[in-house]
């Protein structure tokens, strides 16, 4: 069966860095777009970063220049390098497969969580000030 297993979360001070990983199995990883979403308490789940099969990447405005998404198709693994972390980055971070994008008229953006096909269980990231 399909499994997405996140790791790498933890607690860090503002300005610090973390690297999240997502190990995928049970499907043909290289043929799926992949992404990271996050959900803070009391807020909706939002797309943070996405990477498509052609290598194209999309980022939420709030993380541009600080987060980098990458994928290793040989290892069936997705990564999210998070630098210059802020307290507002505190959330549960989820790995997703089969995400979609849309053209806003200005730029490409990640579609909402309802459009993703598979989900991981999440890993907690806490950033203290």
């Amino acid at each position: 069966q399909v499994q997405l297993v996140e790791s790498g979360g933890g607690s860090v001070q503002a300005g610090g860095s973390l690297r999240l990983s997502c190990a995928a199995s049970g499907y043909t990883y290289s043929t799926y777009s992949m992404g990271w979403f996050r959900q803070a308490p009391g807020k909706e789940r939002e797309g943070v970063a996405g990477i498509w099969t052609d290598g194209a990447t999309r980022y939420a405005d709030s993380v541009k220049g600080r987060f980098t998404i990458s994928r290793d198709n040989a290892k069936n693994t997705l990564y999210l390098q998070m630098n210059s972390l802020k307290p507002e980055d505190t959330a549960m971070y989820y790995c997703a497969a089969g995400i979609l994008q849309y053209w806003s008229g200005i730029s490409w953006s990640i579609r909402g969580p309802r459009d993703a096909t598979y989900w991981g269980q999440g890993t907690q990231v806490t950033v203290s000030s």
Side-chain angles (χ1 to χ4, degrees):
Q1 71 278 21
V2 174
Q3 280 194 313
L4 297 175
V5 180
E6 302 96 335
S7 62
S11 296
V12 64
Q13 288 192 326
S17 298
L18 284 173
R19 188 193 195 204
L20 305 184
S21 298
C22 171
S25 61
Y27 68 103
T28 308
Y29 174 80
S30 62
T31 66
Y32 276 71
S33 58
M34 298 293 298
W36 290 97
F37 288 72
R38 67 185 180 188
Q39 188 166 18
K43 294 189 177 181
E44 293 187 352
R45 191 171 297 189
E46 62 174 355
V48 173
I51 185 166
W52 272 258
T53 56
D54 63 356
T57 57
R58 316 292 181 212
Y59 295 94
D61 288 343
S62 58
V63 306
K64 281 180 182 176
R66 300 188 298 121
F67 290 12
T68 302
I69 189 171
S70 61
R71 63 189 300 166
D72 186 334
N73 288 342
K75 295 182 178 180
N76 286 4
T77 303
L78 179 72
Y79 303 99
L80 185 68
Q81 178 66 44
M82 304 186 295
N83 298 328
S84 303
L85 283 161
K86 304 175 180 180
E88 51 263 44
D89 294 318
T90 295
M92 185 71 79
Y93 282 71
Y94 298 90
C95 171
I99 65 172
L100 300 179
Q101 60 182 338
Y102 68 95
W103 178 250
S104 68
I106 299 175
S107 62
W108 287 100
S109 297
I110 303 167
R111 289 185 67 91
R114 294 179 185 177
D115 294 313
T117 303
Y118 303 123
W119 288 95
Q121 293 301 306
T123 185
Q124 178 67 38
V125 171
T126 302
V127 184
S128 58
S129 57

